[in-house]
Amino acid sequence: MASNIGILGGTFNPIHFGHLRMAEALAESLQFDEVRFIPSANPPHKIEPKTSATDRAHMVKVAIEDNPLFKLDTIELERTGASYTIDTLISLREQLGKTTSLNLIMGSDAFVHLESWQHWEAIIEYCNIVLVQRPQAPTETQQPKLSKVLEQFLSEYYSDDPTALKDTPNGFVHMQAVTPLTISSTDIRARVNKQQSLRYLTPQSVIDTINTKQFYLS
Ligand code: ATP
Ligand code: MG
């Protein structure tokens, strides 16, 4: 059974090379045996995506099919109500046992809002957190600064040593440098709407799905 697992949650509306490249780079530098992509069914902090959770999960499936390390986990589609990460972590812990190193991957844009997550302080009891600096798109407003509480949280749990994570089931926060790709799902949806090319932003299998099912047209 895999013992060092990366967990990448997201709306994946749609999945793109920013997600995939980040997962690949982290799997390499942190020696993950597996990266689980976990689409959020009902993201608590977003307006309900127009594309169904099943369709978003399907795009993840076709995007990762050729990578033996990458797995789709539909655990959040099987629950009703808001998709809270803490509930997913509790289930994963039950499923994978106490000693598996679970590493929750978060872009910096997600981390600055961690305090608004359900039972956010309990999350670190179930996993390590791997932070990735996400490049800012030129159209985006400035990312908010870290709150004092999150700065304190960082200094309490931070480890600079990537090998420490592998042997530790939970309790560390680590920042890992990856080559930034300024790709976002928001931009991809806007491109479809303007009938612009998606080539080289997301796998061709995802582009084919978007075209066939006519996602994001308005
Ligand atoms: P949207 O624009 O709809 O919010 P998104 O591109 O931000 O979509 P999400 O599904 O919201 O994608 O992101 C899931 C996770 O992946 C988050 O932790 C986010 O920070 C991270 N992420 C998304 N795109 C990138 C990227 N280009 N580089 C690094 N991390 C990314
Ligand atoms: Mg996002």
Side-chain angles (χ1 to χ4, degrees), residues 11 46 109 134:
T11 316
K46 283 192 177 173
D109 61 315
R134 181 163 183 196

Side-chain angles (χ1 to χ4, degrees), residues 59-60 65 108 182 209:
M59 291 190 278
V60 172
E65 233 153 28
S108 44
T182 316
T209 307

Side-chain angles (χ1 to χ4, degrees), residues 22-69:
M22 163 172 73
E24 178 72 8
L26 292 178
E28 189 165 62
S29 48
L30 301 177
Q31 297 172 280
F32 292 147
D33 317 298
E34 181 180 308
V35 179
R36 284 203 191 191
F37 289 74
I38 306 190
S40 176
N42 307 300
H45 300 294
K46 283 192 177 173
I47 25 177
E48 195 185 328
K50 286 188 194 141
T51 319
S52 75
T54 312
D55 285 334
R56 290 181 283 109
H58 177 74
M59 291 190 278
V60 172
K61 179 172 174 279
V62 298
I64 65 176
E65 233 153 28
D66 59 353
N67 189 329
L69 230 53

Side-chain angles (χ1 to χ4, degrees), residues 101-134:
S101 174
L102 289 181
N103 300 281
L104 182 67
I105 301 164
M106 287 175 84
S108 44
D109 61 315
F111 185 70
V112 293
H113 299 295
L114 184 66
E115 274 175 277
S116 65
W117 291 26
Q118 181 88 337
H119 301 305
W120 75 273
E121 283 160 299
I123 287 179
I124 198 74
E125 291 165 29
Y126 291 88
C127 62
N128 301 305
I129 297 177
V130 176
L131 293 181
V132 174
Q133 190 62 42
R134 181 163 183 196

Side-chain angles (χ1 to χ4, degrees), residues 8-22 46 56 105-111 117 130 132-135 140 143 178-189:
L8 180 56
T11 316
F12 300 123
N13 190 26
I15 189 167
H16 53 69
F17 281 135
H19 301 123
L20 293 162
R21 180 61 216 170
M22 163 172 73
K46 283 192 177 173
R56 290 181 283 109
I105 301 164
M106 287 175 84
S108 44
D109 61 315
F111 185 70
W117 291 26
V130 176
V132 174
Q133 190 62 42
R134 181 163 183 196
E140 265 169 9
Q143 247 173 49
V178 303
T179 307
L181 290 181
T182 316
I183 303 176
S184 74
S185 307
T186 301
D187 175 63
I188 291 181
R189 295 193 299 273

